[in-house]
Amino acid sequence: MARKKFTTSLDENIIQQLKMQAVKEGTDASKIIEKLVAEYLKKQA
């Protein structure tokens, strides 16, 4: 699946925590967000 850039705004504290968690997991923030949104959408279906 092709990836496309998506811009949004989040609370700066959430962004900071998200980036720190991404480093701990050896991934990037966008992959964490993508995973969480996909799980959310799957539950809504």
Side-chain angles (χ1 to χ4, degrees):
M1 177 181 349
R3 297 179 67 85
K4 186 171 182 171
K5 189 171 182 131
F6 175 77
T7 304
T8 190
S9 298
L10 299 171
D11 181 275
E12 62 185 273
N13 292 323
I14 291 174
I15 294 170
Q16 183 180 22
Q17 291 175 36
L18 176 61
K19 288 179 177 181
M20 289 172 36
Q21 187 62 36
V23 170
K24 289 179 187 175
E25 294 181 19
T27 189
D28 56 63
S30 65
K31 288 181 182 173
I32 293 174
I33 293 169
E34 183 175 29
K35 177 184 172 186
L36 293 171
V37 171
E39 290 174 3
Y40 172 80
L41 292 172
K42 186 175 180 180
K43 288 179 184 178
Q44 301 307 309

